[in-house]
Amino acid sequence: MNQQWDQNTLYQWMLEEDPSKLQELYKVAYEVKKQEVGTKVYYRGIIEFSNYCRKNCYYCGIRRDNTAVHRYIMDKKTILDSARWAYENRYGSLVLQSGERQDEEFVAFVEDVIVSIKNLSHGELGITLSLGEQSKEVYERWFKAGAHRYLLRIETSSPKIYADIHPADHVFDERLRALLTLKDIGYQVGTGVMIGLPGQTEADLVNDILFFESMDIDMIGMGPYLSHEETPLTRRYPISTTDLNRNFTLGLKMIALSRLYLRNINIAATTALQAIQPNGREQGLKAGANIMMPIITDTAYRKDYLLYENKPCTEDTSDDCKQCLAGRVFLTGETVGYGEWGDSPHFLKKQA
Ligand code: 5AD
Ligand code: SF4
């Protein structure tokens, strides 16, 4: 496959359904991954430290109005225990994720946790935040405290779909501004989309890839859109098994095409892939992804952090996940970059 990658070819491939042609696509994407970022998989252990959220996204299982959810916020010690575990097990970095809150108590708590994680790991653990939209001042405080990457998914680059899947408190232009602010401050910025949203076409997904390019994004975390019974979006547009399988394949295509088009960025094989197929994350690696985000949330809390149904690993401990993922990575013929940050070459080039 000797192909010029542009909007047109991306679109042709996004429509492709022939399984053997798609295998060919994934293979070429894998070759480009090997050339551009190598075959080491970098870990970002994710600590889902609270499911309180003031937002009400129509697709999300922990949205504010879902009263069936038991709400929690971990105490500092529980978070630091997971961070220490990550450090001792040589996970290069971790992600602090929670629902969205902007109150000072929360902001100061996160700031304090960041400083403590940096201290306990002698500065070695990289810290990524995934804490939604915040003011510039808050992003700066957390950056100063020691976080250096931020994940904020655009969810979809189509303002129309964005408006359809969120209540009015979500404003597309504010999301864009937040991404630009994060970049200005000096964070490595990650974004991503959900794949297979109601009303989303293949052309929209191609636009998502072009959006990643136009925003000069360093890392991408994206995955299939999945159902959750307690959400307005699933109630309105139930997802069939056929839809799920389609979303899964689109998810792999998005990884492969992003790799082929954007080349030297980091792309995560997300847990959402594994919610549809047991070896979904390995398939993600084989289609061009190079990052995994093992869950290191204390097991007692995992069942309360269900953004979507069938989330895997909710009964497991961090040790289980470590063993399991090491096996999965080994089976794909790759190695784990233990103890390394694994920044994307795309980001490092800009620093040089
Ligand atoms: N299906 C797939 N991904 C989801 N997320 C939230 N709800 C769902 C769902 N139903 C994703 C969003 C969010 C991230 C933390 O989880 O993309 O940014
Ligand atoms: Fe809250 Fe994030 Fe879920 Fe939206 S996607 S309801 S901001 S946790």
Side-chain angles (χ1 to χ4, degrees), residues 59-61 97 153 155 175 194 224-228 307-308:
Y59 46 83
C60 176
Q97 189 178 77
R153 289 189 178 182
E155 311 297 359
R175 195 80 163 179
M194 285 180 286
Y225 164 60
L226 299 160
S227 52
H228 192 297
L307 308 183
Y308 46 77

Side-chain angles (χ1 to χ4, degrees), residues 57-62 97-98 130 151-155 175 192-195 197 221-228 231 233-234 239 272 305-309:
C57 306
Y58 294 145
Y59 46 83
C60 176
I62 62 168
Q97 189 178 77
S98 78
S130 175
L151 295 176
L152 184 68
R153 289 189 178 182
I154 190 74
E155 311 297 359
R175 195 80 163 179
V193 295
M194 285 180 286
I195 300 160
L197 289 163
M222 58 190 168
Y225 164 60
L226 299 160
S227 52
H228 192 297
T231 62
L233 205 62
T234 294
I239 309 184
Y305 201 85
L306 297 185
L307 308 183
Y308 46 77
E309 284 154 11

Side-chain angles (χ1 to χ4, degrees), residues 48-218:
E48 301 146 326
F49 68 89
S50 173
N51 65 1
Y52 282 99
C53 187
R54 59 179 284 280
K55 290 234 167 123
N56 230 345
C57 306
Y58 294 145
Y59 46 83
C60 176
I62 62 168
R63 62 197 302 273
R64 184 185 66 219
D65 287 355
N66 184 3
T67 50
V69 174
H70 166 251
R71 302 284 166 176
Y72 70 87
I73 177 158
M74 293 177 184
D75 58 19
K76 184 173 163 188
K77 179 183 177 303
T78 309
I79 302 175
L80 294 190
D81 283 348
S82 293
R84 196 169 298 106
W85 183 94
Y87 181 57
E88 285 166 359
N89 284 275
R90 308 195 61 238
Y91 283 17
S93 32
L94 49 80
V95 182
L96 295 175
Q97 189 178 77
S98 78
E100 200 172 300
R101 273 176 63 180
Q102 281 92 7
D103 55 287
E104 174 56 29
E105 187 188 349
F106 177 78
V107 170
F109 177 71
V110 171
E111 195 173 25
D112 180 39
V113 164
I114 295 169
V115 171
S116 303
I117 293 174
K118 277 290 173 194
N119 284 340
L120 76 80
S121 68
H122 312 287
E124 285 178 31
L125 271 178
I127 302 180
T128 306
L129 302 179
S130 175
L131 305 172
E133 285 176 43
Q134 304 288 343
S135 67
K136 180 164 188 246
E137 291 66 37
V138 169
Y139 285 147
E140 275 169 346
R141 271 169 75 180
W142 289 342
F143 187 73
K144 243 181 159 173
H148 68 122
R149 300 186 184 119
Y150 206 103
L151 295 176
L152 184 68
R153 289 189 178 182
I154 190 74
E155 311 297 359
T156 167
S157 64
S158 152
K160 155 89 177 66
I161 302 173
Y162 193 86
D164 288 345
I165 62 172
H166 294 112
D169 62 353
H170 262 80
V171 178
F172 186 80
D173 286 346
E174 280 173 16
R175 195 80 163 179
L176 274 184
R177 234 188 335 266
L179 284 169
L180 294 172
T181 303
L182 287 162
K183 203 168 151 206
D184 265 2
I185 294 172
Y187 281 98
Q188 263 181 76
V189 181
T191 193
V193 295
M194 285 180 286
I195 300 160
L197 289 163
Q200 190 185 41
T201 63
E202 280 83 355
D204 290 318
L205 293 170
V206 169
N207 284 335
D208 290 341
I209 298 179
L210 300 179
F211 172 84
F212 301 149
E213 181 193 35
S214 70
M215 294 292 286
D216 195 20
I217 282 301
D218 301 307

